[in-house]
Amino acid sequence: MKVALFSNVDYILSLLIFSVMASCNGSALNEELQCSICLEVFTDPVSTPCGHNFCRTCLSKCWTNKKIGFCPICKERFVRRPDLKINTTLRDLVQHFKKNLNLEESEVFCDFCDERKQKAVKSCLTCQSSYCDDHLELHLRVPRLKKHKLINAVENLEDYICQKHKRPLEMFCRDDQTCVCLSCSEGEHRTHNTVPIEEESREKKNQLVQTQIDVYQIIQDRMKKIQEIKHSIELRKRNTEKEKSSSVELFTDLIRSIERCQSEQLKMMEEQQKAAEKQSEDLIKELQQEITELKKRNTELEQISHNDDHLHLIQMNSSLCSRPHNKNWTKIRIDSDVNVNSLYRALTLLKKTQETLNEKIIQTELKFVQKFAVGVTLDPDTANHHLYLSDDGKQVSRGDIKQVVPKNPERFNKACCVLAKQGFSSGRFYYEVQVKGKTGWELGVIRESINRKGEIILSPEDGFWTVILENENEYSACENPPVSLSLKVKPEKVGVFVDYEEGLVSFYDVDSRSLIYSFTGQTFTDKLYPYFNPGDNDKGKTSCPLIITPVSPLKY
């Protein structure tokens, strides 16, 4: 198996594979990691373009005085001599292999060399001596010596020998978690679970391999989590851009509406001004015409008054001396004030614009809070004995028959209500409840520490933040005192949103996408639980249940 380049993941997998192979057959793996030139484990391994690996020094010597490089294994020739760079991945694998199998160069010397001591290759636990290749020959040839226990050369042989019985530590006591010799296993450890040390070593190696696999899996999980986080932040970035675009569009529409209202108002005022100017011009023209006629008559009167013709004077006197029938101008005026009706129309337009804006803001707000939807199920341990819960914990209705239920401190014994199993002591959460067909109900959240025995008072001071319906169409928010609510439409699905840190509890009409009511500026210290009261059964007229429904994100 010749190793080329690896990715990070491949590298980790390779470490695991090599560890398994080392556990199973160290000598075989040793051969796989040998340079085919020096027949030793790789030192500074390099890879050729054809995919074979060699020690850098060995390959450089092969190419000495050669103009063209070639592969010593497959003999492939390279037009240009490759630039030999250390295969760092393979080098790390070799170092890992050497470390695990003790393949580093031994510093233990043969106990039987007389003059120049040779490095030992094996140590005999039976003889308690170390041997070089030459002196090891007897242990490999003589039948009696073949039975001796040989291990890779070690300097501290006494650590491998039982100090009490001077025999090799060939067994492992699993009860005491210690290595023992055969004499120990037949003596003080005879009733213990002892196994050959090779068997325990294999099991330990298998455990190490499994641990490495587990670590690799954890690494993979962490890498996956990194990708999830990166994906989430990218998705949030896209959503933020989308929300920014929606906000810009919303306020652009508002600005356009105001500009349109302003333009229409100015146009209306200009038209009214022009009409007033036209009216004044016509009136002035009419007045000037009357003045001209009056001046003409005055001239005629002046002429007649100086005439000596008495007969003519008498004849004209009756017509000229009569008072002229002129228009009564005392009641005619130009109003200097602006027409109030135009301002009223402008204000009406602004009001409609504001209502449209408010509606869009609530829609955007509802779409936002739905992102904090949580799973909510009813807690039967808190339900009043008159309440019937569905098997999935999503529906509650009131019955006429009192049920026999266990007594516990969490149960409401007077108030006909039930809480959710889920409580929240931080963050934001949102859920939706179907109230269609009901003539009465109570919804909201409550403080965990409230008294659940006896009558309850629905108010924030008493730990309740609720909105209720009574008598089919009387809605109110349970403040102190209660706040009557005037709703345009009857809600069929109510959304409840809580921002714990902000001290906010809001109720929404999901279908009409409108705000019902908000409790603001509250201070929460206890865990909060969703609260449900399906109202009176009203002799079966309103037996339909309150239903906790899945949250479906709004679409525009």
Side-chain angles (χ1 to χ4, degrees), residues 398-447:
R398 180 167 180 171
D400 295 325
I401 301 175
K402 180 179 179 179
Q403 301 179 93
V404 178
V405 293
K407 293 183 178 180
N408 58 61
E410 292 83 15
R411 190 179 308 282
F412 290 87
N413 67 340
K414 291 289 185 181
C416 204
C417 56
V418 61
L419 303 183
K421 292 181 178 180
Q422 296 76 16
F424 305 88
S425 55
S426 63
R428 302 163 176 167
F429 62 94
Y430 173 85
Y431 59 95
E432 293 179 351
V433 183
Q434 180 177 306
V435 297
K436 183 179 180 180
K438 305 288 295 176
T439 59
W441 48 259
E442 298 173 3
L443 291 175
V445 292
I446 72 161
R447 197 167 54 215

Side-chain angles (χ1 to χ4, degrees), residues 52-292:
H52 295 108
N53 304 299
F54 307 91
C55 297
R56 182 168 62 175
T57 302
C58 296
L59 189 58
S60 296
K61 288 181 179 179
C62 282
W63 288 356
T64 301
N65 300 324
K66 300 288 192 304
K67 294 183 178 180
I68 299 178
F70 64 95
C71 176
I73 294 178
C74 66
K75 308 303 180 184
E76 181 179 343
R77 302 174 69 84
F78 312 119
V79 178
R80 298 178 59 184
R81 285 183 58 168
D83 183 15
L84 299 179
K85 295 182 178 179
I86 295 176
N87 186 331
T88 55
T89 304
L90 180 54
R91 181 190 63 190
D92 293 342
L93 288 173
V94 170
Q95 291 175 351
H96 178 77
F97 173 74
K98 286 181 178 180
K99 181 178 179 180
N100 283 355
L101 296 185
N102 297 318
L103 291 180
E104 297 292 350
E105 201 170 324
S106 174
E107 294 297 330
V108 181
F109 293 96
C110 178
D111 293 329
F112 295 92
C113 289
D114 294 330
E115 297 179 356
R116 185 180 178 183
K117 292 284 186 180
Q118 299 294 321
K119 290 182 179 179
V121 293
K122 293 291 182 180
S123 295
C124 178
L125 296 181
T126 306
C127 301
Q128 300 185 29
S129 301
S130 298
Y131 302 91
C132 63
D133 283 326
D134 293 338
H135 291 101
L136 183 65
E137 189 266 339
L138 288 176
H139 276 76
L140 301 178
R141 180 171 51 84
V142 178
R144 179 177 58 83
L145 297 180
K146 284 184 177 180
K147 297 179 180 180
H148 287 193
K149 184 71 173 180
L150 295 176
I151 62 172
N152 290 329
V154 293
E155 188 174 2
N156 52 337
L157 260 174
E158 63 274 6
D159 292 344
Y160 296 81
I161 304 298
C162 175
Q163 299 302 310
K164 182 178 181 180
H165 301 103
K166 303 303 179 184
R167 298 184 66 179
L169 298 173
E170 299 180 278
M171 306 296 289
F172 182 79
C173 178
R174 288 177 172 170
D175 292 346
D176 295 337
Q177 290 292 300
T178 185
C179 295
V180 297
C181 67
L182 287 174
S183 297
C184 293
S185 64
E186 294 170 356
E188 58 184 296
H189 293 271
R190 65 181 179 276
T191 60
H192 293 182
N193 180 17
T194 57
V195 295
I197 200 167
E198 292 83 2
E199 179 182 338
E200 184 66 20
S201 177
R202 284 195 300 271
E203 184 168 330
K204 287 290 192 292
K205 286 180 179 179
N206 289 336
Q207 291 175 359
L208 289 173
V209 171
Q210 184 59 48
T211 300
Q212 288 177 298
I213 294 174
D214 293 341
V215 170
Y216 169 71
Q217 185 59 51
I218 293 173
I219 292 172
Q220 290 294 93
D221 292 342
R222 299 301 182 269
M223 293 171 66
K224 183 179 179 181
K225 179 57 68 175
I226 290 173
Q227 294 302 318
E228 288 179 1
I229 292 172
K230 288 182 177 179
H231 176 71
S232 297
I233 197 65
E234 183 62 30
L235 184 62
R236 180 184 176 87
K237 182 179 179 181
R238 290 199 296 268
N239 289 337
T240 298
E241 293 299 324
K242 186 176 179 181
E243 293 300 328
K244 283 168 61 179
S245 177
S246 299
S247 297
V248 170
E249 182 179 351
L250 179 66
F251 286 103
T252 300
D253 288 344
L254 172 62
I255 293 171
R256 287 175 179 171
S257 298
I258 294 174
E259 289 177 345
R260 183 170 61 252
C261 178
Q262 181 186 39
S263 176
E264 291 178 359
Q265 173 64 13
L266 292 176
K267 183 179 179 181
M268 191 182 304
M269 293 174 69
E270 289 176 356
E271 290 176 352
Q272 291 175 351
Q273 178 64 26
K274 289 180 180 179
E277 291 176 357
K278 177 66 169 58
Q279 181 186 10
S280 66
E281 289 176 358
D282 292 343
L283 292 174
I284 290 172
K285 185 177 181 180
E286 187 176 350
L287 284 168
Q288 288 176 340
Q289 185 175 353
E290 283 193 10
I291 291 171
T292 301

